[in-house]
Amino acid sequence: MSDQAFAGQHVVVTGGGTGIGRSAALAFAEQGAAGVVITGRRSELLAEVAAQHPAVIPVVADITTEEGTESVARAVADHAGRVDVLVHNAGVYGPEPLDQVQAATVRNQFEVNVVGPVLLTARLLPLLRSPGGNIVVVTSISGRLASPGVSVYAATKAAADSLVRSWAVELGPKGIRVNGVAPGMVRTPILAAGGLAPDTVEQLRAGYADQVPVGRIGEVDDVVPWITRLAEPASSWVTGEIIVVDGGRLAA
């Protein structure tokens, strides 16, 4: 892999203020990207990331809305006029037993994890380089792993897996590749953001570590290299694939 694999390219990363999205945005910038638009709802987090590299461009936007997708499209048009790599990383997690499920939680998870990627991809498609463009979707092993209390989240990630495969077939003739990365449990703020108490988060992490062959949860640095690798030119014959990065959890 070249240290400047994305020289001159323009990248969009959703959910770029924290966790995997933050590290992925900086990785693209450090590997030569001319511009990395990061999106999210919290301006202060986006500004912190942008302060770390001059190529990072923060755009406050809710991509579950047409107004939000339009804001991202305007930023792309203003800075480059095209997208070479689109990374769908924004996601929410809302664990609830089925007998306690709330309509608002269900809608929010589907809007952020499924509707947002669909709307943004459709809006940016005319700007996505063709041929040569790349889409990478951060999904989750939850889309393949049955667990109590997270059926809605798991369903959204199964839907994301389906989008990867369907888009790969639909966009392949345009020369646009679509792939996914499905992490296991990674040390990011998503569990706490889902309303879990710190003690509960630590218990879940410890329980996951006990279930995987490598004996630990994931770190963002375990996942980000797969996002960049799938998007780089050296992977030009890889599309419709979902790379599992989970410490062996699904295999165990």
Side-chain angles (χ1 to χ4, degrees), residues 163-207:
L163 291 177
V164 168
R165 293 188 291 269
S166 296
W167 288 349
V169 173
E170 182 174 349
L171 301 180
K174 299 179 182 291
I176 297 170
R177 298 189 296 111
V178 187
N179 291 287
V181 177
M185 185 177 290
V186 178
R187 195 184 310 277
T188 72
I190 192 170
L191 294 178
L196 299 180
D199 288 350
T200 303
V201 170
E202 289 309 313
Q203 289 172 6
L204 287 173
R205 288 173 174 171

Side-chain angles (χ1 to χ4, degrees), residues 14-156:
T14 70
T18 62
I20 292 171
R22 176 191 184 107
S23 294
L26 292 172
F28 280 111
E30 290 162 2
Q31 293 179 43
V36 182
V37 170
I38 58 172
T39 75
R41 300 175 181 178
R42 291 175 286 179
S43 60
E44 66 280 6
L45 295 177
L46 298 178
E48 289 175 6
V49 183
Q52 295 187 39
H53 199 287
V56 176
I57 304 158
V59 177
V60 179
D62 178 355
I63 64 164
T64 68
T65 68
E66 292 181 357
E67 294 81 4
T69 60
E70 192 61 36
S71 294
V72 178
R74 282 199 303 269
V76 170
D78 290 344
H79 289 91
R82 76 170 195 276
V83 180
D84 297 283
V85 181
L86 170 58
V87 179
H88 288 296
N89 168 75
V92 293
Y93 175 78
E96 285 180 325
L98 187 57
D99 59 1
Q100 299 175 26
V101 74
Q102 301 293 313
T105 305
V106 174
R107 292 192 181 98
N108 186 49
Q109 289 183 83
F110 270 95
E111 286 177 358
V112 176
N113 299 351
V114 182
V115 175
V118 172
L119 293 181
L120 186 61
T121 302
R123 179 60 186 86
L124 294 184
L125 194 56
L127 300 173
L128 195 60
R129 182 157 61 96
S130 175
N134 281 277
I135 300 172
V136 181
V137 182
V138 179
T139 69
S140 169
I141 64 167
S142 293
R144 312 182 192 187
L145 184 66
S147 299
V150 292
S151 60
V152 173
Y153 176 76
T156 68

